[in-house]
Amino acid sequence: MDEKFSADIPLEERDEVEKVFHYLIGDDGTGTEDIIDRFSKNSHQYEKVLGGVNFTGPVQTAQSAAEFYPNNREDVYILDVAAGTGQCAEKLHSHGFRRIDALEPSSEMVERAKKKDLYGRYFNVMLGGNALDIEGDTYDAVTISGLSFMVMKKMPQNAFEELIRIVKPGKYNLFNTHCGYIINTSFYKIFPEDGDAVAAIYRRNVKALESEGKWKQVQLRHFKGYLFGDDGGVAVHQVL
């Protein structure tokens, strides 16, 4: 069995699925706006492509959310960052979460997510150095299950500070951020200190916020089968 691909994808379609996937995530020379444009133009096949390469990010993110909020999930208020077409919201909904907003920069992806009717509010903006038009201490949790590694690794520290600002202290930021959609790599290894060098900026930003007392890591869960059969990790940080 080829764990790189879903059994639902015929052998003759796998090369094309892999090609589209790599086109979507880009490389070091691809700008954030270009990546957003690529996702917009391919929104019609986004779920087929991600499903085709056995992407389990939404499943794992929702699992951690359920673990940290075992009770009264219908009252837990979540912002789903890089929401895409709403795949993470579907998994969160299956665990009983009902109060979910979406933050997604691609208008085409947002329109597809709206058809599922799982989100309350939609913020059609990019998480970056910009301030979000959201009041402080609004959410119980933030989930990130599908943000491109090419975007994540360039994310400024104040982007994470914005997430911290809008989450109620004592609750959780849930990051399912492999920080990379790199074939044949252990995506889990972007989190530890001895992890992939390309994620050094991300780890430095995380550590800086810990040193400043803004959040602390409370879980780093290693799991098998994140993407293309490689391992993944879920890092959970508590907002202080």
Side-chain angles (χ1 to χ4, degrees):
M1 178 181 177
D2 188 350
E3 294 183 351
K4 286 175 59 177
F5 298 97
S6 167
D8 296 331
I9 302 297
L11 289 174
E12 63 272 17
E13 295 182 15
R14 294 183 179 186
D15 285 347
E16 181 62 22
V17 165
E18 186 170 356
K19 179 180 177 181
V20 173
F21 172 76
H22 286 293
Y23 173 74
L24 285 175
I25 65 173
D27 54 30
D28 285 333
T30 311
T32 298
E33 291 301 323
D34 287 336
I35 290 176
I36 295 171
D37 184 61
R38 292 179 182 191
F39 275 87
S40 294
K41 291 179 178 177
N42 289 275
S43 61
H44 64 288
Q45 58 180 341
Y46 170 80
E47 293 192 8
K48 176 182 177 180
V49 171
L50 269 292
V53 295
N54 284 329
F55 176 58
T56 64
V59 171
Q60 296 292 340
T61 302
Q63 180 180 322
S64 281
E67 177 183 344
F68 280 91
Y69 295 96
N71 304 306
N72 303 315
R73 292 175 186 160
E74 67 278 6
D75 297 323
V76 176
Y77 199 8
I78 297 173
L79 178 67
D80 185 21
V81 172
T85 57
Q87 289 184 300
C88 187
E90 289 180 299
K91 301 306 179 184
L92 288 167
H93 201 269
S94 71
H95 283 282
F97 295 99
R98 295 294 182 267
R99 301 183 64 206
I100 313 169
D101 291 344
L103 190 149
E104 168 56 49
S106 167
S107 298
E108 288 79 1
M109 300 283 270
V110 167
E111 289 306 310
R112 291 184 179 274
K114 285 181 177 179
K115 294 178 181 179
K116 297 178 180 179
D117 195 27
L118 295 174
Y119 294 110
R121 297 189 294 173
Y122 297 84
F123 299 97
N124 190 197
V125 297
M126 180 66 196
L127 176 66
N130 55 301
L132 299 175
D133 187 20
I134 301 173
E135 293 186 5
D137 297 349
T138 293
Y139 296 100
D140 297 303
V142 166
T143 57
I144 303 176
S145 68
L147 184 59
S148 169
F149 170 57
M150 297 303 170
V151 175
M152 174 64 76
K153 73 176 185 178
K154 302 174 185 176
M155 199 74 72
Q157 182 176 320
N158 59 349
F160 298 104
E161 290 174 335
E162 270 297 280
L163 297 183
I164 290 171
R165 180 184 67 80
I166 64 176
V167 172
K168 300 172 185 175
K171 301 298 182 182
Y172 294 88
N173 271 353
L174 301 176
F175 289 92
N176 186 2
T177 49
H178 52 79
C179 295
Y181 291 98
I182 313 300
I183 280 185
N184 297 326
T185 62
S186 178
F187 296 148
Y188 167 79
K189 290 187 68 175
I190 65 99
F191 296 111
E193 286 301 313
D194 60 350
D196 293 346
V198 290
I201 294 175
Y202 165 78
R203 290 194 296 271
R204 185 162 61 245
N205 287 337
V206 168
K207 283 293 184 182
L209 294 170
E210 290 176 349
S211 297
E212 295 170 13
K214 294 183 177 180
W215 68 8
K216 68 177 180 179
Q217 182 172 289
V218 293
Q219 183 190 75
L220 176 56
R221 178 168 61 84
H222 182 188
F223 64 89
K224 299 289 185 180
Y226 174 72
L227 182 66
F228 279 117
D230 288 322
D231 290 2
V234 181
V236 182
H237 287 81
Q238 182 179 356
V239 175
L240 303 175

